[in-house]
Amino acid sequence: MTEVIAGQTVTLLAQFYDFEGGTLTDLDATPSIAITSIATGSTALAATTSGVTHPGTGSYGYAWTPSSALAPGAYLATWSGLKNAAAVTATETITVTAPATAEDTNTSPAGIWYATREDVMRALDVKLTARNSAQIDRALESASRGVEDLCHRRFYPVQATRYFDWPSSQYRPSWRLWLDDNELISLTTLVSGGVTIPSTDYFLEPNRSGPPYSRIEIDLDSSAAYGGGDTHQRDIQVTGLFGYRNTETQVGALAEALDASETAVDVNAATSAVVGVGSIVRVDSERMIVTGRQMLDTGQNVGGSGLTILPNNVTLTVSDGTAFAVDEILLVESERMLIVDIAGNNLTVIRAWDGSVIAAHAAGVDIYAARRLTVRRGALGTTAATHADATSLHRWDPPGLVRDLTIADAINRVLQEQAGYARTSKTSTGAKSVSVETLSLETLRTQTYTAHGRKARLRGV
């Protein structure tokens, strides 16, 4: 028997033998796998061969991620295939348990930032090293959690099911459910007392400024109502996209097909130029968090007469300029370069980027670009899935002030850490020393809270 927490991934394995006690043998073709509830017979996974792997002779695997909203209980995985044209099957019982924590559903805020490592490194103009990266990552984690504490809300989108008691002490009329810190971007399903309330029978409020929506009100012109469960506990079930706003930008596309288990994702030049470590990206319905970037051979080489060691030699000739993007970081031998303009097949670059050392490069040398992303799959309540080559990739964008404050706070933390948290500077009159955390940072905090802080509930008198 296999156990898995709803929302997490488990690898299922089937093995086929030529006879009982015999040796492992391959089937005629890839078998299918289907998963059904033993109690109700409902389908948790329709029969599929997509995503089925073949790790060894007679062995077949499948990485299954049950939805975090899947009902706990016993499920039956059934493998079906053919051997010498005869039908063969294999079964396995899986126990699915309910998620207990945000980590179980992959919705924990840990590792979710409102700016990227590259944003901070560019502002600080520091050399790209593992030591600097780790220091900046810590600062970004602290700064992002600090913005949430300041504004009393989390901004990133999370697909989830959350429960509310009814009635409870929310000091509300019987038709209004206050969501408090569980703000909604969009609502998929509303259930109370085991009864689904149609979308025509409730309102998301405030309708003039949401999302985010802070409350769900029953339409008083309908027959719907909250309550009706055996007890008041968890009477209301809300499934939807929680968070502040789902503002996205289409930034590029995949440069390969993905199965559900891959964590190294190849992307095109347009994506490489604008996605960094810490970005939240979406492919189809799956969200991923970028945790690293690697250089990938672009398939092109240094053209013309090459590049000299002179810093004003900034024209890099290639065979196809359309395959690159402005702001993309290139690697030629050991020197990094930043593309600042493209004219035909000539790339204008900044030499010795990211603290690398300028050098001469002969024609014909390979050009690499940061087009391989290391990602956390099935993030923020979504499910890891297969995706076709060239599928569009979208980046989630935090509010501008939130991003600015995260960068500013991260920079301040890095500088303070480097100075042992003892940095001071003189005032303009030289009369006294003040903290390096200047008024401008405090002003930015005030602006961010004023624009995006969650205030007290609005009440009518």
Side-chain angles (χ1 to χ4, degrees), residues 314-384:
V314 295
T315 301
L316 173 59
T317 302
V318 296
S319 58
D320 181 10
T322 63
F324 296 88
V326 172
D327 261 1
E328 191 173 14
I329 297 174
L330 307 179
L331 179 66
V332 180
E333 295 180 305
S334 293
E335 181 186 352
R336 294 187 187 90
M337 307 174 191
L338 176 71
I339 302 175
V340 295
D341 206 354
I342 300 175
N345 294 331
N346 293 320
L347 313 181
T348 301
V349 298
I350 297 177
R351 303 286 301 274
W353 188 251
D354 276 341
S356 59
V357 178
I358 193 169
H361 307 287
V365 172
D366 291 344
I367 300 174
Y368 292 80
R371 297 181 183 175
R372 175 162 290 169
L373 308 179
T374 303
V375 299
R376 197 168 97 201
R377 298 291 302 272
L380 300 175
T382 62
T383 301

Side-chain angles (χ1 to χ4, degrees), residues 4-55:
V4 61
I5 297 173
Q8 295 191 348
T9 301
V10 63
T11 299
L12 305 176
L13 184 68
Q15 294 184 311
F16 296 88
Y17 297 85
D18 50 8
F19 57 86
E20 186 175 354
T23 58
L24 290 167
T25 182
D26 283 341
L27 302 184
D28 296 349
T30 301
S32 66
I33 180 173
I35 301 175
T36 57
S37 168
I38 293 177
T40 66
S42 60
T43 300
L45 175 70
T48 182
T49 58
S50 178
V52 175
T53 61
H54 185 32

Side-chain angles (χ1 to χ4, degrees), residues 7 10 50 114 163 177 182 193 195 199 204 210 259 297 313 346 414:
V10 63
S50 178
Y114 299 120
Y163 299 85
L177 172 69
N182 293 281
V195 176
S199 60
L204 298 178
D259 63 31
D297 194 339
N313 187 197
N346 293 320
V414 171

Side-chain angles (χ1 to χ4, degrees), residues 270-324:
T271 303
S272 172
V274 296
V275 168
V277 176
S279 292
I280 298 173
V281 297
R282 179 179 60 82
V283 182
D284 295 325
S285 62
E286 179 188 355
R287 288 186 175 87
M288 311 175 191
I289 299 174
V290 180
T291 59
R293 299 207 303 171
Q294 301 174 34
M295 292 293 177
L296 195 65
D297 194 339
T298 64
Q300 297 198 48
N301 311 96
V302 175
S305 57
L307 292 170
T308 69
I309 200 171
L310 297 176
N312 62 354
N313 187 197
V314 295
T315 301
L316 173 59
T317 302
V318 296
S319 58
D320 181 10
T322 63
F324 296 88

Side-chain angles (χ1 to χ4, degrees), residues 52-266:
V52 175
T53 61
H54 185 32
T57 301
S59 299
Y60 299 89
Y62 184 80
W64 182 47
T65 306
S67 166
S68 58
L70 187 68
Y75 290 79
L76 186 67
T78 302
W79 297 82
S80 303
L82 296 174
K83 177 62 179 178
N84 296 328
V88 293
T89 60
T91 59
E92 178 181 6
T93 301
I94 308 164
T95 299
V96 177
T97 58
T101 66
E103 283 74 14
D104 290 342
T105 57
N106 206 0
T107 58
S108 166
I112 299 173
W113 306 331
Y114 299 120
T116 67
R117 179 194 295 169
E118 290 75 8
D119 289 333
V120 177
M121 296 189 77
R122 184 172 297 191
L124 285 172
D125 194 23
V126 298
K127 183 177 181 180
L128 178 61
T129 66
R131 176 178 177 277
N132 286 337
S133 296
Q135 184 184 37
I136 290 171
D137 291 354
R138 290 197 311 271
L140 278 167
E141 178 71 25
S142 299
S144 297
R145 303 293 78 79
V147 171
E148 292 172 348
D149 290 342
L150 172 71
C151 294
H152 309 297
R153 61 170 27 123
R154 293 176 179 175
F155 294 90
Y156 54 86
V158 177
Q159 187 69 41
T161 298
R162 295 178 179 172
Y163 299 85
F164 300 83
D165 294 352
W166 188 273
S168 68
S169 56
Q170 292 206 49
Y171 303 104
R172 62 197 170 193
S174 61
W175 63 84
R176 178 179 296 154
L177 172 69
W178 284 101
L179 299 170
D180 293 330
D181 59 340
N182 293 281
E183 295 173 307
L184 267 174
I185 298 172
S186 60
L187 179 56
T188 304
T189 307
L190 178 64
V191 177
S192 184
V195 176
T196 299
I197 299 176
S199 60
T200 54
D201 290 351
Y202 61 78
F203 300 116
L204 298 178
E205 301 290 352
N207 67 85
R208 293 180 300 278
S209 60
Y213 300 109
S214 60
R215 61 190 188 272
I216 307 174
E217 298 186 1
I218 295 294
D219 182 358
L220 296 181
D221 195 32
S222 73
S223 60
Y226 290 134
D230 294 335
T231 71
H232 71 283
Q233 293 177 309
R234 299 192 176 191
D235 179 86
I236 298 177
Q237 175 182 319
V238 179
T239 300
L241 190 64
F242 292 84
Y244 186 66
R245 285 194 180 95
N246 190 26
T247 304
E248 293 184 330
T249 301
Q250 183 175 336
V251 294
L254 296 177
E256 63 169 343
L258 287 182
D259 63 31
S261 61
E262 290 182 82
T263 56
V265 178
D266 294 350

